[in-house]
Amino acid sequence: MLDERKVSIAKIQDRKKGYPQKPPFYPPVIYPELERLNVELETDQSNQVYEAVRNAFIFMGLDSEHSASEDWNPLADIIKPGECVVIKPNFVYDRNINDKTNQSTVTHGSVIRAIIDYVILALCGRGKVIVADAPQMNCDFDRLTRRNGMKAVIDYYKRQLRDTSIAVELIDLRRERTVYKNGIVWERIQQKGDPMGYTIVDLKQDSELSGVDPRRFYGADYNRKETIAAHSNGHHKYFISNTILNADVVISVPKLKVHRKVGVTLNIKNMVGINGNKNYLVHYQVGTQSKGGDEFSVESRQAVLDRRMKDLTLGKNWKYGKYLYAAYLKGKELLRIKDKSGQNRGGDWYGNDTTWRMAVDLNRVLLYHGKNGIPSKEKRRYLSVIDGIVGGEGEGPLAPTGVKSGVIIAGVNPMAADLVATAYMGLDYKKVKSLNIKEKTEKRLMDFTVDDIEIMGMNDEYMKGVDHFQDVYKYKLPSGWKGYL
């Protein structure tokens, strides 16, 4: 039985070199167990990432009795032959104004490549591997997956596995993508979405949003009416991808990165990408703190006016609303109306008491709801592999700057892995709301305390708990979080 308390940390030898450059990111050597893969293999001696992922599995003690032998099958206790495995990366956005490589923003294809090889070993010749995410609305999914090498990796497997009983797919789970202009959604383009469709899952009283007044809720899109309806009268509904719900196993592969709304974006926040309708995702409560909101960090009449104008022109799907709101913004520019000093908008600050609740909810959906969204007392089988080869600090999640951390962090409990990762970034996990919840429901994300976590590393390195973790880095924080974590 897998031990959820164990989290491993594996480092690359030269963190300055970062990711390999040439997809499909072959391993540096043909390890003994890879001889059983039904694919043609070459080697890429520059690929340190593959070895780090492999070492992370070794340090976790996965299939330890066969370690370093051709029979080693590290994921065999998680994945069974013939199953469907979904790999959920962080493919949030294809651009980054502070990092032209975008490596600090999204999961790199070389990390996923190594994982897929070991998934295929565990499937023993039959099954399905799906890499899937629902990025930000205006993300160019094709551009992103070409830039990070993911498309080339998938194409490689499709060629190699064409005549086998293993299928490999890459899916954009969004039903629509948008084009932004003047800082707002200007055009909506319908997409195929999840080929398996979607299911509305209602957490009801098991939601972390339970007991919070929904009248101020604002989602990740403009239709507040739909957001409020999904979270009113004792209901807390999410629009979940059936590809996710029908998976036997989910492997979360997030970035080691800071986040404007929740502090850090690791496994917990990564599950926002399993939801297919952005209006179901509550991101903040409108207004200032004195009025019961957490949208703005500074009290301001101008901020309140901006909110009312946005609701009036954009929130009702009015055909000409976008033109009026664009004119309003232009007027502010001409009149040189600026935000108050220190103002953070859209819940982008440490006082946001909303987004973390939604993120925890989605993890509860993932772990405790099976096919067709049917609740289950048993947790879905799960693995986390955090991509920290290049982490993201500063204005994450969309505009971080890169930190060459050179690390892979792995575990089978999302919260335990996130606690270790947060400490590794040199940040105070005790101030990250999603990592300090007092779960009232039986559907808990973590059934043990932070002091029970066992950190495993190279040369039999071992540490109990994270409070005495030696800070390796001190990641810079978003503007709304400076001086807090």
Side-chain angles (χ1 to χ4, degrees):
M1 185 177 178
L2 296 169
D3 190 343
E4 291 193 9
R5 298 170 300 173
K6 287 186 177 181
V7 177
S8 67
I9 297 179
K11 305 171 187 176
I12 61 176
Q13 292 184 348
D14 186 351
R15 58 186 175 86
K16 292 182 179 179
K17 289 185 177 179
Y19 301 107
Q21 299 299 309
K22 187 178 179 181
F25 312 119
Y26 292 110
V29 299
I30 307 299
Y31 298 108
E33 68 276 5
L34 299 184
E35 298 286 355
R36 293 184 289 114
L37 280 176
N38 191 22
V39 297
E40 293 180 7
L41 287 175
E42 299 177 23
T43 59
D44 179 356
Q45 294 183 358
S46 70
N47 190 350
Q48 304 177 88
V49 173
Y50 198 108
E51 183 178 29
V53 173
R54 184 176 185 269
N55 283 340
F57 295 160
I58 292 173
F59 300 159
M60 284 177 67
L62 299 178
D63 194 23
S64 57
E65 61 182 280
H66 296 117
S67 183
S69 78
E70 63 181 17
D71 294 326
W72 188 52
N73 192 350
L75 303 186
D77 285 340
I78 304 173
I79 301 165
K80 305 304 178 188
E83 291 189 327
C84 177
V85 179
V86 172
I87 296 173
K88 167 62 182 74
N90 183 334
F91 284 172
V92 61
Y93 194 42
D94 62 293
R95 302 170 191 273
N96 180 344
I97 60 173
N98 293 324
D99 176 8
K100 292 182 180 180
T101 70
N102 212 34
Q103 291 181 353
S104 63
T105 315
V106 300
T107 309
H108 197 267
S110 61
V111 178
I112 299 173
R113 159 63 200 265
I115 295 169
I116 292 177
D117 276 357
Y118 289 101
V119 170
I120 291 173
L121 277 181
L123 290 175
C124 295
R126 55 190 178 90
K128 182 179 286 189
V129 186
I130 301 173
V131 179
D133 195 10
Q136 179 166 288
M137 294 190 299
N138 60 330
C139 173
D140 186 332
F141 191 81
D142 184 64
R143 182 175 187 270
L144 185 155
T145 54
R146 281 187 283 107
R147 291 191 69 196
N148 75 346
M150 192 68 250
K151 187 177 186 303
V153 169
I154 295 298
D155 289 344
Y156 161 77
Y157 283 116
K158 284 182 177 292
R159 290 192 304 270
Q160 294 294 318
L161 301 170
R162 183 182 296 122
D163 298 322
T164 72
S165 296
I166 294 180
V168 179
E169 298 179 24
L170 175 64
I171 302 176
D172 180 351
L173 298 174
R174 296 173 300 175
R175 298 185 304 157
E176 68 175 14
R177 66 180 180 88
T178 60
V179 176
Y180 272 60
K181 184 179 177 181
N182 300 314
I184 58 176
V185 172
W186 205 256
E187 181 182 2
R188 296 177 185 269
I189 302 167
Q190 296 303 307
Q191 298 201 143
K192 294 179 181 178
D194 188 343
M196 300 186 73
Y198 305 86
T199 295
I200 293 177
V201 177
D202 190 352
L203 287 181
K204 297 181 181 178
Q205 73 276 6
D206 287 332
S207 170
E208 290 297 323
L209 289 164
S210 180
V212 181
D213 186 350
R215 289 175 293 179
R216 287 188 172 272
F217 284 174
Y218 192 93
D221 204 345
Y222 299 140
N223 191 341
R224 285 192 62 216
K225 184 177 180 180
E226 188 173 18
T227 304
I228 292 169
H231 295 278
S232 293
N233 301 317
H235 298 286
H236 292 284
K237 300 174 183 178
Y238 294 95
F239 198 84
I240 306 300
S241 156
N242 283 336
T243 287
I244 299 294
L245 290 175
N246 292 337
D248 298 294
V249 179
V250 171
I251 301 177
S252 173
V253 195
K255 286 297 288 185
L256 190 71
K257 186 172 64 169
V258 298
H259 194 287
R260 287 181 170 188
K261 287 181 171 59
V262 291
V264 294
T265 176
L266 300 161
N267 288 297
I268 302 297
K269 185 63 173 63
N270 192 38
M271 288 309 130
V272 167
I274 71 174
N275 182 91
N277 183 332
K278 302 297 185 183
N279 284 310
Y280 282 65
L281 301 176
V282 185
H283 271 57
Y284 53 85
Q285 298 170 64
V286 299
T288 58
Q289 282 190 302
S290 64
K291 300 296 184 180
D294 56 14
E295 180 179 9
F296 304 108
S297 60
V298 176
E299 298 286 329
S300 164
R301 291 183 179 178
Q302 182 61 48
V304 173
L305 177 60
D306 289 348
R307 157 54 46 211
R308 288 177 179 172
M309 283 299 298
K310 199 167 189 178
D311 281 349
L312 177 65
T313 57
L314 301 178
K316 297 180 180 180
N317 291 324
W318 185 21
K319 182 178 179 180
Y320 300 106
K322 61 186 179 183
Y323 298 102
L324 287 174
Y325 191 72
Y328 171 73
L329 293 179
K330 187 65 177 178
K332 283 183 63 180
E333 181 183 336
L334 292 173
L335 295 172
R336 297 181 181 180
I337 298 173
K338 297 182 179 180
D339 287 335
K340 276 191 174 182
S341 177
Q343 179 67 280
N344 291 281
R345 292 169 169 268
D348 289 349
W349 67 301
Y350 68 85
N352 186 320
D353 194 34
T354 309
T355 305
W356 71 267
R357 298 175 186 272
M358 171 268 292
V360 169
D361 277 2
L362 289 167
N363 280 262
R364 203 161 278 150
V365 169
L366 174 78
L367 294 177
Y368 288 103
H369 289 77
K371 295 178 180 180
N372 301 314
I374 297 173
S376 171
K377 292 184 178 180
E378 299 295 323
K379 277 186 178 179
R380 173 180 270 107
R381 280 169 283 148
Y382 172 97
L383 173 67
S384 159
V385 181
I386 299 174
D387 174 8
I389 301 300
V390 176
E393 67 177 3
E395 298 304 322
L398 301 182
T401 50
V403 182
K404 292 187 176 180
S405 307
V407 67
I408 295 290
I409 299 173
V412 291
N413 181 282
M415 190 173 289
D418 282 8
L419 284 161
V420 171
T422 302
Y424 194 88
M425 297 163 79
L427 305 178
D428 186 355
Y429 72 87
K430 295 177 183 177
K431 292 184 177 180
V432 177
K433 294 182 177 73
S434 62
L435 301 180
N436 290 276
I437 57 177
K438 295 179 180 179
E439 298 184 281
K440 300 176 182 178
T441 174
E442 293 181 358
K443 298 175 181 178
R444 299 182 179 181
L445 302 190
M446 195 169 87
D447 292 321
F448 46 91
T449 70
V450 64
D451 295 328
D452 294 322
I453 295 173
E454 300 177 8
I455 304 172
M456 325 297 291
M458 195 173 290
N459 301 320
D460 295 324
E461 294 174 353
Y462 173 85
M463 184 180 297
K464 191 81 176 285
V466 302
D467 285 330
H468 302 291
F469 202 99
Q470 182 179 359
D471 291 346
V472 182
Y473 300 96
K474 182 65 177 179
Y475 271 47
K476 295 177 183 178
L477 294 165
S479 57
W481 288 75
K482 286 180 179 178
Y484 183 72
L485 287 184

